[in-house]
């Protein structure tokens, strides 16, 4: 069970607008580690510091104090080589469709690998594999990225990072603004990619339902502090704490809580609809009532 | 990397200066600028410095913030002053040296030093004074509103004052948005291994393409959305448009304008006395 960690965050603090009247202490003494070969979720209300935190993973922002280790190496030890970290830790920013720029979808996906100085034939192979993972049809590849739908653009942007084959893939709200089907497809695709490639994946979201479905490990942020961590069971059993952090606990949790309130002997570690159905069926067959 | 723009940032404290009518503030700045160019000696500048310091105290804008806004311009101020030292001619020669014999001699005059000092003072007072009234204590919207109303008489000779004011308002409104977006896109491309700081000129220019194109695309999208939104609200230019906040000059605005005139008169008087009745 004990997995190696790929990213270690140690006592990190970050303040926006230091020494101005608009100071925001966006991260307060955060320590956590991201494990290899699993999907880690970072949840928090809007403004809780999720984006700020993950932008430290690849050195886009530098912590005011504390350190970030990737594969056990402090990334700010040699600030000149920070760009190498960016190939190791792939980052898909929020609304990545706005970063597309090339003439064709193919060229856009190939931009990252080209910057890495990879030979042409390998770039071709990488671009095609990444496109396939993200469900991009081959006839789209020669189109302009600006002619695609919103959901398609999002996938192209995602493929552009996947093609760099980072050892950690970090995604900031990958499903934001998509319809339920789009959410399912993109999150499902990411999880499939994780299973097949074995890379570590970090997903940032404020949707508890999505996180319950796809994540193995969870970290909960509130107002720049890490308030909770553990697997889904451990985290969702803390319904009150989550609610006070401004998060929507999965609705089924409310049902289960109400049942426990009424004296029904049902486990508090239930956070999916299917899980609840099974537990209730068991209770009914057991003839408790 | 955070793009840091302090110049042009409203700092609300609710002070009297914040509450003044923007037209009164525009008039003040007009008088202030004229005063600065009329001012000739240390006494006149002293008077203007007192005006700036008083304004800072009354407006409750922290002086640290204003000084931080000056920081990007320090180089320009020093550069022009130093240039002034060496290019001025005067009577009292302090120092001379032939750098390239028969071709370039550096002469340092007492007057040059004094001029350079005054020039630096002039720039600093100008920047501090105008930024307190124009950016820290007045929102861009109020400012353009004041301009539109103040210059309203030009409409009679068919100058599209309202349209210009609207364009200015929109441009000002979108500056922070664009700065924000530029830094987001830069970060996104850095995450894909873009390198903006190495290589020759051509390589660097090429590296900017992945930033400029998305920026243009989203600016056009934004412009189109804004136009649609304005049309949906039946915007059709200035004719017949009424306002939610109608500017109205109050007693304190007139007092303030009179004080501004007194400042200009004061500077002229100081000039006359100190320079023995020589005007300008
Ligand atoms: N560029 C910035 N300048 C100043 N404050 C910022 C900036 N970016 C974020 N913040 C502030 O930092 C806090 C955390 O923001 P962020 O990390 O974006 O939160 P999240 O991604 O969880 O919504 C918020 O209070 C936000 O207002
Ligand atoms: Mg965010």
């Amino acid at each position: 069970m004990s997995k190696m960690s790929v990213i270690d965050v140690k006592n990190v603090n970050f303040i926006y607008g230091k020494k101005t009247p608009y100071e925001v202490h966006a991260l307060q003494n955060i320590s956590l580690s991201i494990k290899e070969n699993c999907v880690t979720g970072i949840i928090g209300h809007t403004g809780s510091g999720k984006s700020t935190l993950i932008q430290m993973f690849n050195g886009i922002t530098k912590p005011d104090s504390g350190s970030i280790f990737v594969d056990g190496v402090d990334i700010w030890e040699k600030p000149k080589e920070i760009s190498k970290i960016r190939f190791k830790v792939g980052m898909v920013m929020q609304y990545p469709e706005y970063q597309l720029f090339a003439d064709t979808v193919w060229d856009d996906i190939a931009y990252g690998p080209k910057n890495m100085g990879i030979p042409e034939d390998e770039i071709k192979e990488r671009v095609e594999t990444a496109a396939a993972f993200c469900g991009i049809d081959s006839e789209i590849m020669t189109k302009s990225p600006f002619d695609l739908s919103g959901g398609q653009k999002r996938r192209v942007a995602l493929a552009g990072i996947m093609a760099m084959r980072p050892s950690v893939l970090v995604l900031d709200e990958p499903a934001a603004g998509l319809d339920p089907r789009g959410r399912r497809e993109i999150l499902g695709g990411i999880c499939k990619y994780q299973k097949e490639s074995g890379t570590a994946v970090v997903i940032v979201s404020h949707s508890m339902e999505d996180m319950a479905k796809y994540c193995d490990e969870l970290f909960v942020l509130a107002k720049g502090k890490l308030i909770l961590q553990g697997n889904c069971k451990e985290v969702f059993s803390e319904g009150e704490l989550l609610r006070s952090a401004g998060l929507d606990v999965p609705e089924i949790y409310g049902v289960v809580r109400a049942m426990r309130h009424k004296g029904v002997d049902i486990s508090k570690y239930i956070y999916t609809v299917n899980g609840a159905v099974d537990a209730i069926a068991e209770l009914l067959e057991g003839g408790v009532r | 990397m955070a793009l840091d723009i302090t110049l042009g940032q409203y700092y609300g404290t609710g002070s009297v200066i914040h509450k003044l009518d923007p037209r009164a503030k525009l008039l003040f700045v007009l008088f202030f600028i004229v005063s600065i160019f009329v001012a000739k000696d240390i006494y006149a500048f002293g008077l203007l410095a007192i005006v700036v310091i008083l304004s800072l105290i009354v407006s409750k804008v922290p002086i640290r913030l204003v000084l931080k806004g000056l920081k990007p311009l320090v180089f320009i101020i020093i550069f022009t002053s130093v240039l002034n030292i060496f290019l001025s001619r005067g009577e009292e020669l302090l120092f001379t040296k032939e750098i390239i014999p028969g071709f370039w001699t550096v002469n340092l005059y007492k007057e040059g030093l004094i001029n350079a000092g005054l020039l630096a003072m002039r720039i600093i007072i100008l920047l501090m004074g105008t930024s307190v009234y124009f950016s820290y204590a007045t929102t861009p919207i109020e400012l353009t509103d004041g301009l539109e109303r103040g210059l309203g008489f030009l409409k009679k000779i068919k100058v599209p004052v309202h349209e210009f004011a609207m364009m200015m308002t929109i441009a000002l409104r979108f500056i922070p948005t664009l700065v924000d977006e530029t830094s987001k896109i830069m970060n996104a491309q850095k995450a894909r291994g873009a390198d903006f700081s190495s290589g020759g000129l051509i390589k660097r220019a090429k590296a900017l393409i992945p930033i400029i194109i998305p920026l243009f695309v989203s600016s056009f999208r934004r412009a189109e959305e804004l136009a649609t939104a304005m049309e949906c609200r039946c915007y059709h230019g200035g004719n017949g448009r009424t306002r939610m906040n109608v500017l109205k000059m109050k007693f304190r605005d007139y007092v303030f304008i009179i004080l501004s005139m007194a400042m200009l008169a004061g500077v002229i008087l100081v000039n006359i006395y100190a320079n023995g009745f020589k005007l300008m």
Side-chain angles (χ1 to χ4, degrees), chain A residues 186-207:
Chain A
I186 210 152
L187 291 172
I190 292 164
C191 288
K192 190 166 141 252
Y193 167 82
Q194 195 283 317
K195 298 249 152 48
E196 288 178 24
S197 65
T199 50
V201 169
V202 180
I203 301 181
V204 169
S205 172
H206 58 256
S207 159

Side-chain angles (χ1 to χ4, degrees), chain A residues 46-47 49-52 55 94 172-173 204:
Chain A
T46 311
K50 307 178 297 281
S51 302
T52 311
Q55 282 175 19
Q94 199 164 3
D172 197 351
E173 311 243 3
V204 169

Side-chain angles (χ1 to χ4, degrees), chain A residues 17-42:
Chain A
K18 218 174 183 176
K19 294 200 193 116
T20 69
Y22 313 104
E23 252 187 32
V24 179
H25 204 152
L27 295 177
Q28 301 177 28
N29 215 24
I30 304 266
S31 300
L32 52 82
S33 40
I34 307 288
K35 298 272 183 310
E36 61 172 5
N37 198 9
C38 69
V39 180
T40 305
I42 296 179

Side-chain angles (χ1 to χ4, degrees), chain A residues 83-114:
Chain A
S83 60
K84 286 196 186 130
I85 296 297
R86 305 206 171 124
F87 300 133
K88 234 176 189 171
V89 181
M91 173 97 40
V92 183
M93 306 275 186
Q94 199 164 3
Y95 297 111
E97 49 273 32
Y98 296 134
Q99 77 201 30
L100 302 178
F101 71 96
D103 293 337
T104 66
V105 168
W106 205 99
D107 287 337
D108 209 286
I109 300 177
Y111 176 67
K114 271 192 186 140

